[in-house]
Amino acid sequence: MSEPGRHPSLLQRLYAVWLGFLRWLLHLWVRSTVLPEQLDELDIDPNQPLIYVLDNYALTSLLIVDQISRDLDWPRVRKPVQIGNTWLSRRYASSRRHRGLLIRRPETRRHSPILRQLLLETDPEELGKVQILPVTVLVGRAPDNEDSIFKILFSENWDVGGRLRRLVGTLINGRATMVQFGKPLPLSRLLNETTDAEQALGRLSRVLRVHFKRVRTAAIGPDRSHRRTLVEKVIRTDSVQAAISAKARRDSISTDKATAIARKYAMEIAADYSYSVVRLGDLLLTWFWNRIYRGVKVQHFSSFREAAPGHEVVYVPCHRSHIDYLLLSYLLYHRGFVPPHIAAGVNLNMPLIGPVLRRGGAFFLRRSFRSQPLYAAVFNEYVSVILSKGVALEYFIEGTRSRTGRLLPPRAGMLSITVRAFLRYRNRPVLFQPVYIGYERLAEGNAYIHELSGHQKKPESLSDLRNVINILRKNYGEVTVSFGEPVHLKHLLDAHHPDWAVDPDSNGKPAWLQGLVDDLAEQILVNINRSAHVNPVNLLATALLASRKHALDEDDLERFIGLLKSVITRSPFGERITVTELEPGQIIEYGLELGVIQRQDHRLGSIIKVDGHNAVLLTYFRNNTAHLLAMNAWVACCFLNAQRVRKARIRSLTRTVYPFLKRELFLPWQAEELDPVIDDTIDRLIGLGLIRESADRLQRTPGGSDQAYYLRLLGNSMVQTFERYFITVSVLAKNGSGQLSRSQLEQLCILCAQRISLLHEFEAPEFYDRTLFKQFIESLTESGILGRDEDGGLVFDQRLEQFASDAKLILDKEIRHTIIQTAPEKLELDIE
């Protein structure tokens, strides 16, 4: 290279031409995926000096970054640069370099020479303007359409490869190169936080090393030990050794035999992550998604990308389909993150399928292991160890797939294990990332209806693979994956127990742990709901199922869909709620094309309707977004059987009903926040012309008007929920206080709901879903309306009668009479 300020020699110019030729030759083959997708997120100041810092120097990496800087019209990497009075021979540095022709070893050095020259020789005032831009180049990491095993074998990993491996890897995987730019590091802040240039240089080098490790870990996963080594580490931990000793004493077996049992458990549980299998899975899933979906939309990922660095990430998506975990892993991989280790039920550990899932990152757990203390100790320790090693986790806190489209009550076992693992190791703060997944059609839809109708769930088996052929023949529309607001474990710990960091009891199972875990579970589910996307099928399902015969005039349907969009976009759920951009007319055409609705032509105007089978399927998609309309639909329900209602009455009734709605739909507001929410809801309906305000009363528009019709449809979207509540109250009242156990009440409610469904053609097996009745009964118990006597019977007082009396405002006389008449008594049935 030339000395500062001098013109390059002939040899140097020839070398520059040679590098330019190599760059051109390389990019005849190489194709790079540049991250982040929106480069404006980097906030690079074009008027200030820019220095590139590579993770690890390689000529191919340098040429790749040089080409990108040329394409983006950024300062060229290989050009010299003058900063103040300091001339640098090139505009790039590297955090690491390796020496050796064939056997490559890390070069022993503390700092990059270019960075040392920059910080030690440049005037501090000029130095403060410099932006340090970290760049990570991973060859064979970016997703593409590869179909060769050699590409996978030569993909990016943690090993230090030689020049030959790098060359072969670039030739084979050049079209799968990922280049990730980090946010520029302003040297001005670094200089202000240090006393001299030498100290600033040391801190800058450390910051860069940490950054590059995080990016590489996120992209290809942490540097994992071999599975058997990890298992042995789990077996040697104090908690597992104590459980082994207890097992030996309890079963009168030798310690060696108990250890062998523990090792067998660990091997049954542990993932066997293989990056090669992940790459092969990417090939298959890319083809599969393109075959069955029109597209996959990802919302709010940039917020997650910004929040994730420096945290142990636990992905906690809603669970709608077996596709959930495949889709989330695929999307993370395509955005530069390593697919997480996924907690999977042991029922999926089948021949052929189990080993593939295990190598894709699945670890298996039994449905229940409370009566197996050794298994519990091994499982808990395994999760603790992989979390402490920086492995991202994924699990579904609902425990199973939702059959109704609503979020299910949380099963907090995995959350408790994760919290206790953090309290034990405390390596890095834990971030729980809620994820909403919204479908327009479900592959398992028919199976869910079968199960809700009372049939036994069919266990998973290899024969299920035959269903893939049927899946491939259908169009499943579009999928939306939305990243919700993350939940930081440390914030919850500080709120529940400010002294947790110094409390010696924190390493065990402290008394405050259960309350924290319950709060954590609720926040996760609330944040999933607050990141929902409302797709065309959600709107069509809500509108058409609110009508008596699941049919509407096309013009009315268009207007009502427009009304629903307005209600949702104005609701105070937060900025992460999104609604389809399609206009109401386009939504109807989309539904017709997807095959979920039908158009029947008529001389007075077309009718849009749903047949019986699709009506049942659409209840699932109505329920996906029911929480977004809940408060508006509740207020609308208050006018189903009354022309006028006092504002004070609506507020009073809402305070009574809200705890039950909150528990069922995971609504975000606490009881003390309710009054402003009610007022906001009322103002919204007034603004939309659905109700009017007169002094202290509210009234609906005159009967026969479009507004009155749409208000009734809005109320009907929630009325089945209140019918279910009234069934429970009626069964209790008919049998009397102390006469029913909880299980008896649940069974009687289900039978009553099934009969009413047959009598009134609700066409919705979810109407008599046990989980929904169970949730409502639990809410009645928590609110103090229900109690238990010494024999386990459910007792209540006059408050239950008041609850039944309030139902007159919501439910019409016919349905109330039918429910009261149908409600069975315990003596009528043998349900003991």
Side-chain angles (χ1 to χ4, degrees):
M1 300 297 293
S2 62
E3 294 180 9
R6 295 186 178 180
H7 294 291
S9 65
L10 176 61
L11 185 61
Q12 290 163 346
R13 289 199 298 271
L14 288 174
Y15 181 67
V17 171
W18 170 245
L19 290 181
F21 171 73
L22 289 179
R23 175 176 53 77
W24 171 81
L25 187 64
L26 182 69
H27 283 85
L28 290 176
W29 175 247
V30 168
R31 296 292 182 271
S32 301
T33 299
V34 179
L35 297 174
E37 295 90 346
Q38 302 297 325
L39 292 172
D40 292 343
E41 297 174 10
L42 298 176
D43 294 328
I44 296 175
D45 188 342
N47 299 316
Q48 300 298 343
L50 186 68
I51 300 295
Y52 303 87
V53 181
L54 303 178
D55 175 11
N56 188 20
Y57 176 80
L59 179 59
T60 51
S61 297
L62 175 63
L63 296 177
I64 288 168
V65 177
D66 187 45
Q67 179 67 36
I68 291 172
S69 67
R70 180 173 180 267
D71 294 341
L72 296 174
D73 199 25
W74 287 359
R76 296 294 294 278
V77 174
R78 296 187 291 107
K79 301 293 185 182
V81 60
Q82 181 177 6
I83 301 173
N85 295 323
T86 302
W87 276 86
L88 301 178
S89 59
R90 58 181 187 266
R91 198 182 282 270
Y92 72 89
S94 60
S95 180
R96 296 179 299 161
R97 290 185 77 103
H98 292 83
R99 295 294 184 188
L101 181 61
L102 295 177
I103 300 176
R104 306 279 283 167
R105 292 186 175 87
E107 184 181 87
T108 303
R109 64 175 189 177
R110 293 184 61 192
H111 312 296
S112 164
I114 289 291
L115 293 181
R116 174 179 286 277
Q117 181 187 357
L118 175 67
L119 268 77
L120 298 186
E121 297 181 11
T122 308
D123 180 80
E125 185 175 343
E126 296 295 330
L127 191 60
K129 303 175 183 178
V130 176
Q131 305 168 95
I132 302 295
L133 184 64
V135 189
T136 305
V137 180
L138 298 175
V139 177
R141 172 54 180 87
D144 71 347
N145 295 323
E146 306 129 343
D147 54 6
S148 169
I149 189 67
F150 292 104
K151 293 185 177 185
I152 294 169
L153 294 176
F154 285 93
S155 58
E156 195 72 49
N157 55 44
W158 285 89
D159 295 334
V160 177
R163 294 181 190 273
L164 180 60
R165 178 184 172 88
R166 180 71 178 194
L167 175 61
V168 174
T170 303
L171 291 174
I172 292 176
N173 281 313
R175 291 182 178 270
T177 297
M178 185 185 84
V179 180
Q180 180 154 334
F181 292 97
K183 282 201 170 184
L185 305 173
L187 288 183
S188 55
R189 188 174 62 187
L190 200 65
L191 292 170
N192 292 334
E193 294 173 352
T194 53
T195 57
D196 54 44
E198 190 70 40
Q199 187 181 27
L201 177 62
R203 178 171 294 186
L204 176 61
S205 297
R206 287 194 299 273
V207 168
L208 288 169
R209 283 195 296 270
V210 170
H211 168 82
F212 288 130
K213 183 175 181 180
R214 285 176 179 172
V215 172
R216 183 169 284 265
T217 298
I220 63 175
D223 192 6
R224 294 173 173 86
S225 300
H226 189 273
R227 178 176 177 232
R228 191 171 296 277
T229 305
L230 185 63
V231 164
E232 292 306 317
K233 183 176 181 179
V234 168
I235 297 299
R236 289 195 301 269
T237 57
D238 293 341
S239 60
V240 174
Q241 286 295 311
I244 287 172
S245 299
K247 173 77 171 177
R249 290 193 303 271
R250 186 172 56 252
D251 295 355
S252 301
I253 59 177
S254 67
T255 302
D256 289 344
K257 187 172 182 180
T259 301
I261 294 172
R263 186 173 290 107
K264 180 181 177 182
Y265 288 158
M267 295 299 288
E268 174 190 314
I269 294 166
D272 192 14
Y273 188 90
S274 166
Y275 190 59
S276 298
V277 170
V278 170
R279 293 292 302 279
L280 287 171
D282 172 55
L283 304 179
L284 180 62
L285 289 176
T286 298
W287 171 81
F288 187 67
W289 304 144
N290 290 333
R291 179 84 180 190
I292 69 171
Y293 292 128
R294 298 185 177 200
V296 179
K297 291 177 62 177
V298 182
Q299 313 268 25
H300 316 302
F301 186 82
S302 59
S303 299
F304 164 68
R305 187 193 295 279
E306 191 171 322
H311 293 85
E312 306 289 0
V313 179
V314 180
Y315 301 95
V316 275
C318 60
H319 202 8
R320 304 274 161 83
S321 167
H322 278 309
I323 287 175
D324 296 341
Y325 44 84
L326 299 174
L327 184 61
L328 182 56
S329 293
Y330 177 86
L331 293 174
L332 289 168
Y333 177 77
H334 270 243
R335 281 158 178 76
F337 283 75
V338 66
H341 274 29
I342 305 168
V346 74
N347 57 308
L348 294 177
N349 191 18
M350 299 175 283
L352 300 179
I353 299 299
V356 173
L357 293 177
R358 195 184 294 277
R359 286 170 174 79
F363 63 98
F364 296 97
L365 72 156
R366 300 177 181 181
R367 288 295 181 187
S368 176
F369 42 84
R370 289 184 178 179
S371 60
Q372 299 173 291
L374 179 56
Y375 181 91
V378 172
F379 184 84
N380 292 351
E381 199 60 49
Y382 173 77
V383 173
S384 299
V385 169
I386 61 173
L387 192 68
S388 70
K389 292 173 69 66
V391 177
L393 300 181
E394 177 190 336
Y395 47 76
F396 303 96
I397 65 172
E398 297 168 271
T400 187
R401 291 167 292 156
S402 171
R403 268 64 175 176
T404 64
R406 295 177 176 86
L407 290 178
L408 299 176
R411 298 180 183 179
M414 282 298 300
L415 288 178
S416 179
I417 291 170
T418 305
V419 173
R420 292 174 66 187
F422 169 74
L423 292 173
R424 190 180 311 166
Y425 287 98
R426 305 186 190 184
N427 287 355
R428 294 196 300 175
V430 175
L431 178 147
F432 292 91
Q433 179 55 59
V435 182
Y436 175 90
I437 304 175
Y439 298 93
E440 293 178 347
R441 291 184 71 177
L442 272 179
E444 299 101 327
N446 290 328
Y448 290 172
I449 294 171
H450 189 73
E451 293 171 30
L452 286 171
S453 300
H455 297 88
Q456 191 71 23
K457 176 182 177 293
K458 181 184 175 184
E460 286 78 5
S461 66
L462 288 175
S463 62
D464 293 335
L465 293 176
R466 291 178 299 183
N467 295 332
V468 174
I469 298 173
N470 293 327
I471 292 172
L472 291 172
R473 294 171 178 165
K474 297 179 182 177
N475 171 19
Y476 288 88
E478 192 173 75
V479 185
T480 301
V481 179
S482 183
F483 285 72
E485 183 180 347
V487 180
H488 294 268
L489 178 57
K490 185 178 182 300
H491 296 169
L492 278 177
L493 285 167
D494 290 340
H496 279 262
H497 190 63
D499 297 328
W500 65 270
V502 294
D503 186 352
D505 292 338
S506 295
N507 291 330
K509 198 171 183 180
W512 46 265
L513 179 64
Q514 188 58 53
L516 179 142
V517 170
D518 291 342
D519 192 12
L520 172 60
E522 183 179 2
Q523 283 199 32
I524 289 170
L525 293 175
V526 166
N527 286 3
I528 289 174
N529 268 346
R530 294 181 76 172
S531 60
H533 173 74
V534 184
N535 63 44
V537 178
N538 298 138
L539 292 168
L540 288 168
T542 302
L544 289 168
L545 295 181
S547 62
R548 281 189 178 275
K549 297 188 70 174
H550 307 151
L552 286 172
D553 174 85
E554 186 165 351
D555 291 337
D556 280 334
L557 178 58
E558 276 196 40
R559 287 192 286 269
F560 187 50
I561 288 175
L563 177 72
L564 292 176
K565 290 184 68 175
S566 297
V567 169
I568 292 170
T569 53
R570 299 181 189 183
S571 296
F573 268 86
E575 59 185 16
R576 293 181 189 249
I577 296 295
T578 55
V579 183
T580 177
E581 296 178 355
L582 296 180
E583 295 298 321
Q586 294 173 315
I587 290 173
I588 293 172
E589 294 300 327
Y590 185 79
L592 290 168
E593 185 182 347
L594 207 58
V596 297
I597 59 175
Q598 300 170 353
R599 177 186 278 131
Q600 182 173 330
D601 294 328
H602 191 275
R603 292 177 63 185
L604 298 181
S606 296
I607 303 294
I608 302 298
K609 63 180 183 178
V610 185
D611 62 35
H613 179 72
N614 273 328
V616 177
L617 290 173
L618 285 180
T619 60
Y620 194 96
F621 301 97
R622 176 196 62 190
N623 294 339
N624 287 169
T625 52
H627 62 284
L628 299 176
L629 292 165
M631 296 304 293
N632 302 278
W634 155 247
V635 174
C637 281
C638 294
F639 294 91
L640 289 176
N641 300 295
Q643 178 72 30
R644 298 177 181 84
V645 185
R646 291 182 181 274
K647 265 190 177 182
R649 179 92 191 276
I650 291 179
R651 289 195 185 98
S652 175
L653 287 173
T654 305
R655 295 188 196 100
T656 301
V657 169
Y658 181 73
F660 311 120
L661 292 178
K662 176 178 171 60
R663 187 181 184 95
E664 180 174 325
L665 298 174
F666 298 99
L667 300 179
W669 307 288
Q670 301 301 322
E672 58 271 15
E673 303 171 320
L674 203 51
D675 283 350
V677 175
I678 300 170
D679 292 341
D680 178 68
T681 303
I682 291 172
D683 292 342
R684 187 180 311 114
L685 296 181
I686 292 174
L688 292 169
L690 298 181
I691 57 177
R692 299 172 182 174
E693 187 173 18
S694 176
D696 63 339
R697 291 178 180 270
L698 298 169
Q699 65 180 47
R700 70 182 185 213
T701 56
S705 67
D706 287 345
Q707 289 77 14
Y709 181 47
Y710 300 145
L711 184 69
R712 176 169 291 276
L713 288 176
L714 182 59
N716 285 346
S717 68
M718 279 288 291
V719 76
Q720 284 187 13
T721 296
F722 303 116
E723 289 170 355
R724 216 169 31 245
Y725 294 171
F726 191 67
I727 287 172
T728 307
V729 172
S730 298
V731 171
L732 281 167
K734 193 165 190 176
N735 283 274
S737 180
Q739 297 303 306
L740 295 176
S741 67
R742 180 165 161 173
S743 62
Q744 289 171 335
L745 175 60
E746 288 178 12
Q747 184 63 21
L748 289 174
C749 288
I750 291 168
L751 293 171
C752 182
Q754 285 175 337
R755 185 168 180 80
I756 291 171
S757 180
L758 293 171
L759 291 171
H760 288 262
E761 298 183 354
F762 285 148
E763 296 290 349
E766 58 101 19
F767 181 64
Y768 43 85
D769 179 43
R770 179 182 294 273
T771 299
L772 297 176
F773 282 110
K774 186 177 180 180
Q775 280 181 282
F776 181 58
I777 294 167
E778 288 175 352
S779 297
L780 289 173
T781 304
E782 287 183 2
S783 63
I785 295 176
L786 280 185
R788 289 193 182 188
D789 58 23
E790 295 178 355
D791 299 324
L794 296 174
V795 295
F796 52 87
D797 53 26
Q798 68 276 8
R799 284 179 296 173
L800 194 73
E801 296 176 9
Q802 182 60 45
F803 194 93
S805 177
D806 291 337
K808 296 177 183 178
L809 185 67
I810 311 301
L811 305 179
D812 63 44
K813 186 174 181 179
E814 180 186 357
I815 188 63
R816 284 188 284 111
H817 177 76
T818 302
I819 289 173
I820 291 171
Q821 290 298 111
T822 307
E825 295 184 63
K826 181 177 68 170
L827 295 179
E828 295 176 7
L829 299 159
D830 182 15
I831 60 169
E832 294 292 345

